[in-house]
Amino acid sequence: MNEPMLALYADHLAVALARSEATLERHRLDALILDAGDAVARSRFDDQWFAYRPAAHFAWWLPLHAPGSCLLLRPGRRPTLYWHDPQSYWEAPPPPSHHGFAAHMDVHLARQAVALHAETATGRAAVVGESEARARALAPNAAWNPPDLVADLDAARTLKTPYEIACLAEANARAARGHDHLRQLFAAGSQSELDLHLDYLRATWQDDAETPYKNIVALDAHAATLHHIAYGRGAPAGASSSLLVDAGATCHGYHADITRTWVRGSGEAADRFRALVRAVDDLQQQLCDAIAIGTPYEALHDRAHLLVGEALRQVGLVHASAEAAVAKEVTFAFFPHGLGHSLGLQTHDVGCARIRPRSDNPWLRNTSTIAEGQVFTIEPGIYFIEGLLGPLRACEAGRVVDWRLVESLRPFGGVRIEDDVVVDAARGHLNLTRAVLPEGGGNAR
Ligand code: GLY
Ligand code: MN
């Protein structure tokens, strides 16, 4: 990490400390242990493990892959890192990408699993971490994951520091290289989904286990599955086709989450689908421009439904006003997921989802009031999903749909366009994704 980033990281730690001190005080805690977690077993019936990923509460402080470690926070004291380094000859975690943290905390290198009985014997203590058994071993008298405390710690991460925004920007730059590469491959050839997935990993120089989430790579009708990860191994059959890629990258633990949709080929259906992609790209940008501090994110989601209704009318899929299409839940059948979610050390950063969404927005993962420093995605889509369109076709509300056009576009699956944006007081928002990947989708070239 270069000097300016190290300086930003030091400022970030100061913010983390101030927010954590306030949380300790609110919960009247004398000690809080943040557990880095351990690798998770793939199955209870054998001895294989998923690749380790540090818990977000711990990763907020430390860019350190050290399973079994923990951070101890006490009011008015320097944080103490218990860095577990068992010197195993089976597996060794990667070295930290920098040691900037050493100046800001006490560091104990622990060869054995630590127990913090003395540090937590008096007063109120809590452990936040994945495993109750580990929490008990660390501090038997401490509370484990009190829900209000966990929610407050999650909320403390929603307003990103300049260091976090720099990490998210770099993660976007890395992911953009993969998206651009796949657009070119798709324009030029006929790779399978598995080929495209592997090419994305190479272009972004990531191992599969390092990606923030499993790459979603969907050719043609597969794009109607929102999270299509069962990669096909055959090349697309027809002359016209579509590619939806929803894939990210990480930087110091921070996630990028980007979706692009590309169209290839000629003919009336391909041209209509291209127009649909352009319409979604356009409405996605309108939604980014509508970001305003102090308004509920859910209002943006509602606006997305109106704009989707308008796009469906424009391309001729629905013969009704946008308002009528929303009121009769026609837009929900084409756009059945939430507009977006908070983004950070988790792809679906949970701090902005403390309140349940309205029952008509069951999948909305951001129910916060928009505030400066939040980072979230804006990801509208329009899909041809038989499980949702079938019931619509069978009912009165479905009469406004041009089902012949639906049939001709069904082979293209659907379109989603997703950017990562920072809420900014002066400019409304900064689009981390368009800064490095200006096109949202359209014709693959
Ligand atoms: N990128 C996948 C999702 O947001 O669910
Ligand atoms: Mn997303």
Side-chain angles (χ1 to χ4, degrees):
M1 193 144 68
N2 59 26
E3 283 302 321
M5 271 301 267
L6 276 174
L8 288 181
Y9 174 70
D11 294 345
H12 166 75
L13 284 186
V15 171
L17 191 60
R19 291 184 192 165
S20 299
E21 290 269 359
T23 306
L24 287 173
E25 194 175 318
R26 203 160 41 249
H27 292 266
R28 292 202 207 86
L29 285 172
D30 300 298
L32 169 61
I33 299 169
L34 303 175
D35 180 6
D38 256 320
V40 175
R42 282 175 178 264
S43 161
R44 63 172 69 242
F45 299 114
D46 62 26
D47 62 355
Q48 300 298 303
W49 307 82
F50 287 112
Y52 166 74
R53 182 166 288 194
H57 300 109
F58 180 87
W60 196 40
W61 294 80
L62 291 148
L64 187 63
H65 275 235
S69 302
C70 66
L71 187 71
L72 172 66
L73 302 173
R74 286 170 292 186
R77 309 264 296 260
R78 266 160 74 88
T80 308
L81 168 65
Y82 295 89
W83 183 349
H84 191 223
D85 181 15
Q87 293 204 309
S88 161
Y89 56 80
W90 287 102
E91 235 180 273
S97 46
H98 67 88
H99 286 83
F101 52 87
H104 303 278
M105 54 188 72
D106 296 331
V107 179
H108 291 278
L109 205 61
R111 298 279 183 233
Q112 313 290 332
V114 294
L116 302 178
H117 297 190
E119 292 79 355
T120 54
T122 57
R124 281 164 52 92
V127 179
V128 172
E130 295 279 355
S131 151
E132 185 171 14
R134 265 182 57 76
R136 295 279 161 262
L138 274 166
N141 298 322
W144 175 58
N145 290 350
D148 288 353
L149 172 65
V150 174
D152 276 1
L153 292 171
D154 288 334
R157 293 198 315 277
T158 56
L159 304 185
K160 268 56 183 183
T161 61
Y163 165 75
E164 294 180 292
I165 291 169
C167 291
L168 288 159
E170 180 53 34
N172 265 266
R174 192 173 177 190
R177 290 196 282 278
H179 278 276
D180 210 43
H181 188 56
L182 260 52
R183 173 185 61 74
Q184 292 174 44
L185 287 176
F186 177 63
S190 52
Q191 283 87 350
S192 70
E193 290 165 347
L194 179 61
D195 287 324
L196 291 164
H197 161 68
L198 296 171
D199 283 322
Y200 183 91
L201 293 179
R202 178 166 287 285
T204 52
W205 198 234
Q206 299 180 93
D207 182 19
D208 195 28
E210 288 178 278
T211 59
Y213 53 92
K214 189 95 187 96
N215 291 339
I216 295 161
V217 182
L219 282 167
D220 305 332
H222 286 167
T225 301
L226 299 180
H227 286 175
H228 176 76
I229 55 170
Y231 310 131
R233 284 152 199 261
S240 322
S241 58
S242 63
L243 170 67
L244 184 155
V245 180
D246 180 344
T250 59
C251 173
H252 300 308
Y254 288 86
H255 296 188
D257 179 4
I258 301 175
T259 309
R260 292 294 184 257
T261 307
W262 304 108
V263 196
R264 197 176 61 178
S266 55
E268 198 189 325
D271 288 343
R272 292 296 274 271
F273 188 71
R274 221 174 253 114
L276 185 67
V277 173
R278 273 198 294 271
V280 174
D281 191 26
D282 190 51
L283 76 88
Q284 194 268 0
Q285 290 290 277
Q286 287 185 54
L287 290 164
C288 291
D289 289 339
I291 292 168
I293 291 171
T295 61
Y297 186 93
E298 202 161 21
L300 215 53
H301 174 90
D302 292 341
R303 187 172 180 144
H305 269 274
L306 271 177
L307 293 175
V308 163
E310 188 52 36
L312 290 169
R313 199 188 61 74
Q314 268 173 20
V315 298
L317 278 161
V318 169
H319 301 293
S321 70
E323 289 77 7
V326 173
K328 296 207 160 17
E329 297 182 4
V330 173
T331 56
F332 185 85
F334 288 95
F335 170 41
H337 58 76
L339 177 62
H341 50 85
S342 181
L343 185 72
L345 290 160
Q346 297 159 308
T347 300
H348 296 164
D349 210 27
V350 295
C352 284
R354 294 180 74 177
I355 304 166
R356 276 166 118 59
R358 283 196 325 260
S359 58
D360 57 326
N361 294 331
W363 303 113
L364 187 60
R365 292 190 176 94
N366 187 348
T367 50
S368 68
T369 299
I370 294 173
E372 177 162 38
Q374 287 181 348
V375 175
F376 49 67
T377 66
I378 297 285
E379 49 177 308
I382 292 179
Y383 313 86
F384 303 100
I385 302 171
E386 182 50 31
L388 298 173
L389 294 179
L392 180 63
R393 194 190 291 111
C395 73
E396 175 73 26
R399 289 192 176 192
V400 295
V401 176
D402 180 338
W403 293 107
R404 230 172 41 84
L405 186 54
V406 167
E407 280 317 304
S408 72
L409 297 187
R410 191 191 293 281
F412 296 89
V415 44
R416 175 164 68 256
I417 292 173
E418 175 178 28
D419 292 341
D420 305 342
V421 301
V422 185
V423 181
D424 180 85
R427 286 165 282 193
H429 76 281
L430 296 175
N431 193 320
L432 298 178
T433 309
R434 300 271 171 166
V436 285
L437 194 64
E439 270 186 282
N443 201 32
R445 292 161 290 102

